[in-house]
Amino acid sequence: MILKFLRLLKILAVATKYGLDEIAVTSLHAPRTARFMNTVFFWRRITSPRAIRLRQALEELGPIFIKFGQVLSTRRDLMPPDIADELSLLQDRVPPFDSDLAVAQITEALGAHPDQLFASFERVPVASASIAQVHFATLKNGTEVAVKVLRPGMRKTIDEDLALMDMAARLIEKVWAESRRLKPREVVAEFDKYLHDELDLMREAANASQLRRNFADSTLLMVPEMHWDYCSSSVIVMERMRGIPVSQIDRLAAEGVDLKKLSSDGVEIFFTQVFRDGFFHADMHPGNILVSVEKETFGRYIALDFGIVGTLNDFDKDYLSQNFLAFFRRDYKRVAEAHIESGWAPRDTRVDELESAVRACCEPIFDRPLKDISFGQILLRLFQTSRRFNVEVQPQLVLLQKTLLNIEGLGRQLDPDLDLWKTAKPYLERWMSEQVGWQGMVERLRAEAPRYAHIFPQLPRLLHQALERQAHSNITATHRGQLMPQADLLAMVLLEQRRTNRILAFLAAVVVLVGAIAAGYGLLHGG
């Protein structure tokens, strides 16, 4: 309890030092309160912009608050642009923890000392972040690996700081009316899930394994193999990857890497993850991306750090397909309708007003040279519009936007003339064809066929039973308390029989048609 109180005092002291109270009071539009705060803190001289002061305060408060700022920087649907831009500069500059602690963590997690587990183990870490650090090692069979070790005591520290954040969020909701739109408690809850997901290294290992399987035959992306016998929730061991950080442009150029191709390959990798697999690496900043210069894998991307991934379900894909298709056709009314139909915009939203706002965001890009169009900036403007119309931006789509901005920024570093729109359009068009065209329908029929194969033979009997129950119900309802003449009863039975025969014939035709389409598609594509 005393430690929590001391931590709270430190947070308040840092907030006061950087004038975070002044930022909050200014947002309240309460001049009297602002004058009172300035009188209380008369000794303070605040000259830096609010966004810089907020970033500096989070950096001084430590790793958990830095992580929180990084998460906030992705919520451009909630944050003002100046704050979101500044928070995106936050980096995990955390000194490594003692190697003896890492050795103890490995021994506890894997049941043996590193000297017993590995042929060699480098005690000096090669990388360190707020959640974990990495050591190189060699397995007994000579395989070179990287050992990722969770920072000791992180769970307790995170839980304590999150409890303080939640308390602050509750207070903000009570005193600030605007907070209903910013949803501070929901943001803290999202951050809670984000951090606890990162704390489970087995989840990261599983994410890496899935991504590696998705790109098993790729010549563009490499993902390290996990050594599952050496993995636990606090320690994971993976294949050691060698490459040059993608941000070191001069080194890549000196090695002869084609930067323009590397740039377009990055776009292809991203859209393949999103639109083919619905499973994408959502933390693709330059620190997590290497480029191989080995002879066999020259010029391929190497992905690292899989603590954060994004997924898209069928509903998300349908939403995206409708919006992209309408966007290509410049049908902004359909974009607005899709938002309302999905429930992400309030039901009482006027379609024409939302349509006009979306048109203002998107229409200018069609009248400019393609290379001057920023797909990421379009998304940012759409998110800003969403604030005005109280559109609920889904977390998985926020991750998508964050990753797209990373990819675009990375691509433009490699190739200043990168045309993300022109590069991405073929993938988007092909994916939309697969989603909403005949090919998509056939693929879905093939996918669903095994699931319903055992139901089709039962359909005639089930339908006949349902019609008999309906006929009996009609007879009972119409002639309750009366005896129906035999001729009328016979006529009704014949009528129901004819209806049954027509429906069964229709179902048989559908079954034959579906089977023919699936068989024909299988023959055309080699079974």
Side-chain angles (χ1 to χ4, degrees):
M1 186 65 183
I2 295 176
L3 292 176
K4 286 184 180 179
F5 180 70
L6 292 175
R7 178 63 169 161
L8 180 59
L9 285 181
K10 180 179 179 181
I11 292 171
L12 293 174
V14 171
T16 302
K17 174 182 174 182
Y18 290 99
L20 303 191
D21 54 287
E22 183 263 346
I23 297 175
V25 170
T26 301
S27 301
L28 291 172
H29 303 292
R32 290 184 179 179
T33 306
R35 285 195 297 269
F36 174 75
M37 297 299 291
N38 289 333
T39 302
V40 172
F41 300 111
F42 64 91
W43 46 268
R44 195 171 57 183
R45 293 292 179 269
I46 297 175
T47 57
S48 299
R50 63 177 185 174
I52 293 177
R53 285 184 280 127
L54 178 57
R55 175 181 58 78
Q56 291 172 337
L58 294 175
E59 287 176 338
E60 187 165 329
L61 287 171
I64 307 307
F65 284 83
I66 290 174
K67 283 280 186 185
F68 186 57
Q70 290 173 334
V71 171
L72 286 179
S73 72
T74 69
R75 295 307 306 266
R76 292 177 181 266
D77 55 313
L78 300 179
M79 294 292 106
D82 62 322
I83 290 180
D85 289 340
E86 189 67 29
L87 293 184
S88 67
L89 302 177
L90 285 168
Q91 299 292 329
D92 281 346
R93 300 186 184 94
V94 182
F97 55 88
D98 191 275
S99 296
D100 289 336
L101 293 176
V103 168
Q105 184 92 307
I106 294 170
T107 303
E108 180 183 355
L110 303 183
H113 192 279
D115 291 342
Q116 297 174 293
L117 293 168
F118 306 108
S120 66
F121 177 80
E122 297 182 14
R123 296 178 68 90
V124 178
V126 294
S128 177
S130 57
I131 297 295
Q133 69 185 31
V134 178
H135 297 256
F136 286 150
T138 305
L139 296 180
K140 299 283 188 178
N141 62 6
T143 302
E144 293 183 322
V145 294
V147 183
K148 188 168 186 176
V149 186
L150 192 68
R151 190 173 286 270
M154 282 304 296
R155 285 186 174 85
K156 182 180 178 182
T157 303
I158 285 174
D159 288 340
E160 289 175 352
D161 279 352
L162 283 172
L164 293 174
M165 288 181 184
D166 186 64
M167 182 174 69
R170 291 172 186 271
L171 180 61
I172 290 171
E173 284 188 348
K174 289 181 180 178
V175 302
W176 190 18
E178 177 69 4
S179 69
R180 281 193 294 272
R181 182 182 64 79
L182 298 179
K183 303 177 182 177
R185 289 177 62 190
E186 290 186 23
V187 172
V188 172
E190 181 183 326
F191 180 54
D192 187 339
K193 180 181 181 301
Y194 164 91
L195 270 185
H196 281 91
D197 283 352
E198 275 205 285
L199 285 176
D200 185 358
L201 296 188
M202 281 295 283
R203 182 188 293 268
E204 177 178 342
N207 292 339
S209 182
Q210 177 70 54
L211 192 62
R212 178 181 170 85
R213 186 162 58 251
N214 290 348
F215 282 83
D217 301 321
S218 173
T219 59
L220 303 179
L221 178 68
M222 300 165 61
V223 179
E225 180 183 4
M226 292 292 152
H227 295 273
W228 291 106
D229 291 341
Y230 301 89
C231 290
S232 73
S233 61
S234 57
V235 176
I236 56 175
V237 176
M238 70 194 81
E239 175 187 3
R240 179 175 174 177
M241 308 299 285
R242 284 185 167 83
I244 297 174
V246 72
S247 58
Q248 297 183 11
I249 308 297
D250 293 339
R251 284 186 63 192
L252 292 173
E255 290 287 344
V257 176
D258 184 342
L259 299 182
K260 287 184 178 293
K261 181 178 184 303
L262 196 64
S263 177
S264 62
D265 285 352
V267 175
E268 180 175 349
I269 289 168
F270 170 72
F271 282 99
T272 299
Q273 290 180 63
V274 172
F275 297 111
R276 185 192 70 184
D277 305 326
F279 183 90
F280 59 95
H281 191 310
D283 199 15
M284 297 183 72
H285 62 76
N288 289 337
I289 305 295
L290 306 178
V291 178
S292 174
V293 290
E294 301 291 321
K295 183 178 180 181
E296 300 81 7
T297 57
F298 187 82
R300 294 189 197 178
Y301 280 95
I302 300 170
L304 302 172
D305 196 347
F306 311 92
I308 309 172
V309 298
T311 57
L312 298 173
N313 59 28
D314 289 340
F315 181 84
D316 298 326
K317 287 183 176 182
D318 180 64
Y319 164 81
L320 287 173
S321 68
Q322 290 188 49
N323 276 274
F324 275 122
L325 194 60
F327 180 72
F328 283 138
R329 294 173 177 172
R330 300 167 82 165
D331 184 357
Y332 305 115
K333 181 178 181 181
R334 183 59 200 141
V335 174
E337 290 173 343
H339 277 73
I340 297 171
E341 290 169 3
S342 68
W344 294 348
R347 289 292 175 188
D348 58 356
T349 302
R350 286 186 53 174
V351 173
D352 59 330
E353 290 184 354
L354 184 55
E355 175 191 355
S356 177
V358 173
R359 180 183 295 109
C361 288
C362 301
E363 188 66 19
I365 74 167
F366 290 103
D367 297 320
R368 298 169 58 192
L370 285 174
K371 74 171 189 175
D372 294 336
I373 296 170
S374 169
F375 207 175
Q377 289 302 316
I378 295 168
L379 279 177
L380 293 186
R381 292 174 66 184
L382 286 172
F383 279 138
Q384 289 165 3
T385 300
S386 75
R387 284 209 306 251
R388 176 180 155 203
F389 287 91
N390 295 316
V391 174
E392 294 188 13
V393 180
Q394 306 302 299
Q396 67 274 24
L397 297 186
V398 173
L399 280 177
L400 183 67
Q401 170 256 333
K402 166 184 177 279
T403 308
L404 183 55
L405 287 177
N406 284 337
I407 291 294
E408 184 177 50
L410 179 62
R412 289 186 190 279
Q413 282 184 2
L414 296 170
D415 177 13
D417 293 325
L418 171 70
D419 181 354
L420 180 62
W421 181 257
K422 184 177 180 181
T423 308
K425 191 175 179 181
Y427 303 106
L428 298 177
E429 289 179 331
R430 183 169 66 244
W431 173 74
M432 284 189 295
S433 173
E434 293 170 355
Q435 290 294 306
V436 299
W438 277 100
Q439 183 182 353
M441 188 191 78
V442 172
E443 286 292 341
R444 283 191 288 274
L445 284 173
R446 292 188 69 186
E448 294 290 338
R451 191 176 306 173
Y452 292 106
H454 70 287
I455 296 179
F456 274 118
Q458 304 176 44
L459 278 178
R461 176 172 54 82
L462 295 174
L463 185 59
H464 190 269
Q465 291 175 353
L467 291 173
E468 281 187 331
R469 285 194 298 271
Q470 181 64 34
H472 179 72
S473 174
N474 290 341
I475 293 170
T476 304
T478 306
H479 302 280
R480 185 170 292 140
Q482 302 178 15
L483 288 175
M484 180 181 289
Q486 188 171 0
D488 293 345
L489 182 60
L490 180 60
M492 184 170 286
V493 169
L494 290 173
L495 178 62
E496 291 296 334
Q497 186 63 50
R498 282 195 294 270
R499 287 176 56 195
T500 302
N501 291 338
R502 285 197 300 271
I503 294 174
L504 289 177
F506 173 75
L507 285 174
V510 169
V511 171
V512 170
L513 177 62
V514 169
I517 291 174
Y521 186 84
L523 288 172
L524 287 173
H525 293 77

